[in-house]
Amino acid sequence: MTLDSNQGLSLQQTRTSTGKNARKKRRNRKIAYTLLVFIFLALAALIWFYGTASGSTLRYMMADTLITTQHRHWAKYLIGEDELNRRVADYEKKFDEMAQIKDQHNIDLENKANKNVEVEDIEGKNYKGHILYVHDPKMIRVVTTSIVGQGEQILSMVQRTKAIAGVNGGAFDDPNWDGNGFKPAGIVMSGGKLLYSDVGMEDPVNVVGIDKNGLMVAGRYKPSELLSMGVRDAVTFQPKFIVNGKGLIKNQADGWGIAPRTCMAQKQDGTIMFVVIDGRQPGYSIGATLYDVQNILLDRGAVTAANLDGGSSSVLVKDNQVVNKPSSSYGMRYLPTAFLVFSKPDQVAVKNIWENIDMDHFNSSYKPFNP
C-alpha cells in the first residue's frame, strides 16, 4: 500500500508528537526526581542542623556570630527568641564573672628601653589579621574624636595627632549599627582624667586600659577605683579573657561567634599586643572567635588580655596607612575613642570633647554632616 503525501506527513507529525511527549515525560520525571532528591537532602540537612550535636554546635556558632552584628534579631530563627535572650544574658553574666578574676600583675615594667613598634601578619583557617607590638606600654594613650557631635576615623586621629600607630577603642552608642560615633558607652579616661562616664563614681563598669606605670588593667572597676589606682588611659569593653597567663574561654563554642576582632594584651615583659582580625569578607577573611584570639595571644606569651570593640570598627593604622581591611562597606567607621601610640606620649593633650554637652539627651542617630 502506497501512502499519499498527506498521509505521510500526518504519520510523520504523529511520530514527532509522540517523540516530543516522550521527551517531555522524561524531562518531567527528571525534574520530579531532582525535586525529590533536593527535598530529601533539605530534610536531612534540617534534621542534622536541628537534631544532632554537631549541627547544634554550628547553629549556635552562627547565632553567636549574628549576636555581634546589627542583625542580632535574625539569631532567633536559629535558636528561638527565648534562647537568644537567655544566651545574651548568659554571656553578660559570664563576662562579668571573668572580669572579677583578680590579676596578680606579674609584669616587669623596669627599663623599657625598647621603643620599637612592629606589626606581625597572622593567618588562621578562617581569618587573616595583624598584631601590633608596642614594647614600651607608656607610649600608648587613649585619644578621642575632635569633632563635636561626630566620631572620627582612626586614620584621621593618627594623622591629626602625629601618632605612630593606632587601633579602635571602646564601646559606644550605635543605633542600628549606623550611629554617628560620638557618644561612648561606659567610661573614657585619658591622661589620668575621667573624660566621660555614664555611670556613677561607685558603680562598677568593665574597662580596658593602662595605668601610669604601663600596667594593663582589665576587668570590672568603679570609676573612683580607677582614679585611686592611677589608671591613666581606659575605655569600656569586655570580656577580659586571659588572666595570669591562663585562658578563660574553654572552647570554640564559647568564643562568641566568628567576627572581625580587636583585642589588647600584655606580655610578662610589659609589651602590649593589639590583635586586629579582619572578617565578613568571604574569599579573604571570615573572622575569628575569641577562642582563636586567645590561642594566638597565649602562643605569644600573653599574661593579660581583653576584648575591644570589633566588627566593622576593627582598624589598625601604622605610619599613616590603614594596615588591615576593615569589613564595613562604607569604609572606616567614625568612632569616639582609639588607642594610639606616640614617641612622646607625655606631650599629647586630649581635651574633653563631651564637656558642657547634655550627653543624657544626645541623639546618636543624628548626622551633623555627611562624611
Side-chain angles (χ1 to χ4, degrees):
M1 181 176 64
T2 303
L3 298 175
D4 61 26
S5 59
N6 289 335
Q7 288 175 318
L9 181 59
S10 177
L11 181 60
Q12 180 64 32
Q13 290 175 336
T14 300
R15 290 174 177 172
T16 301
S17 177
T18 301
K20 287 183 177 178
N21 288 336
R23 288 193 297 272
K24 185 176 181 180
K25 288 180 179 179
R26 287 195 298 270
R27 185 170 63 251
N28 288 341
R29 283 198 298 269
K30 186 176 181 179
I31 292 173
Y33 175 76
T34 301
L35 286 174
L36 285 173
V37 171
F38 176 79
I39 292 170
F40 173 79
L41 292 176
L43 288 173
L46 286 173
I47 292 171
W48 172 80
F49 195 56
Y50 286 95
T52 68
S54 58
S56 294
T57 297
L58 176 61
R59 185 159 50 88
Y60 276 87
M61 178 73 74
M62 293 172 65
D64 285 346
T65 299
L66 287 170
I67 286 171
T68 63
T69 73
Q70 60 182 312
H71 305 298
R72 170 179 287 194
H73 61 284
W74 289 1
K76 68 183 180 182
Y77 299 113
L78 295 171
I79 58 177
E81 188 163 5
D82 289 343
E83 180 63 15
L84 168 61
N85 294 333
R86 186 196 67 78
R87 197 158 181 83
V88 171
D90 283 350
Y91 269 122
E92 293 292 333
K93 180 181 178 181
K94 184 184 299 183
F95 290 168
D96 283 346
E97 291 172 352
M98 292 160 68
Q100 301 293 347
I101 301 175
K102 298 300 181 183
D103 296 277
Q104 296 175 359
H105 297 305
N106 184 23
I107 305 293
D108 180 13
L109 296 172
E110 300 297 326
N111 302 318
K112 298 301 296 180
N114 188 346
K115 304 297 182 181
N116 292 337
V117 179
E118 305 147 354
V119 174
E120 176 191 0
D121 296 338
I122 56 175
E123 184 173 349
K125 182 179 178 181
N126 298 310
Y127 64 83
K128 292 183 180 179
H130 311 273
I131 302 177
L132 177 70
Y133 292 90
V134 185
H135 297 283
D136 182 356
K138 292 183 180 180
M139 296 172 67
I140 298 170
R141 293 289 308 278
V142 165
V143 171
T144 70
T145 175
S146 62
I147 311 166
V148 175
Q150 175 75 50
E152 187 176 1
Q153 292 181 333
I154 306 302
L155 178 59
S156 173
M157 291 186 192
V158 169
Q159 293 173 336
R160 171 173 60 83
T161 61
K162 297 180 172 56
I164 299 169
V167 302
N168 57 291
F172 61 101
D173 186 27
D174 193 20
N176 300 315
W177 274 256
D178 189 36
N180 52 44
F182 184 67
K183 184 178 181 179
I187 62 102
V188 177
M189 294 185 68
S190 184
K193 297 179 180 179
L194 184 65
L195 301 184
Y196 182 89
S197 177
D198 59 16
V199 300
M201 292 300 291
E202 302 303 319
D203 296 325
V205 62
N206 288 293
V207 300
V208 184
I210 296 178
D211 74 6
K212 61 185 179 181
N213 298 313
L215 181 70
M216 180 175 169
V217 176
R220 195 163 177 81
Y221 296 93
K222 303 172 184 177
S224 61
E225 289 179 310
L226 296 172
L227 292 170
S228 65
M229 290 164 56
V231 173
R232 188 188 64 187
D233 297 85
V235 297
T236 284
F237 217 80
Q238 61 179 350
K240 175 172 70 173
F241 58 89
I242 296 178
V243 184
N244 304 319
K246 180 181 178 181
L248 303 181
I249 301 173
K250 302 305 180 183
N251 49 50
Q252 290 284 13
D254 287 335
W256 205 17
I258 298 171
R261 302 280 180 196
T262 302
C263 298
M264 178 178 173
Q266 188 166 41
K267 299 173 66 173
Q268 190 170 7
D269 68 358
T271 298
I272 293 291
M273 297 181 286
F274 290 105
V275 176
V276 177
I277 301 290
D278 289 325
R280 299 174 187 165
Q281 300 173 69
Y284 168 65
S285 180
I286 302 300
T289 66
L290 281 179
Y291 186 69
D292 291 326
V293 179
Q294 177 178 279
N295 289 337
I296 290 169
L297 290 170
L298 288 175
D299 287 344
R300 288 159 177 79
V303 175
T304 305
N307 193 34
L308 293 172
D309 189 17
S312 300
S313 299
S314 289
V315 175
L316 168 60
V317 173
K318 186 175 185 294
D319 300 327
N320 293 325
Q321 298 290 328
V322 179
V323 177
N324 71 312
K325 294 183 179 180
S327 65
S328 174
S329 58
Y330 304 102
M332 286 182 293
R333 303 188 76 195
Y334 287 72
L335 307 173
T337 59
F339 283 99
L340 304 190
V341 184
F342 297 92
S343 58
K344 297 179 179 180
D346 293 338
Q347 297 181 11
V348 178
V350 179
K351 72 173 186 177
N352 188 345
I353 194 72
W354 303 285
E355 192 174 18
N356 300 322
I357 298 177
D358 182 5
M359 295 304 296
D360 289 337
H361 299 94
F362 179 79
N363 183 0
S364 296
S365 298
Y366 171 67
K367 300 294 194 299
F369 66 90
N370 185 5

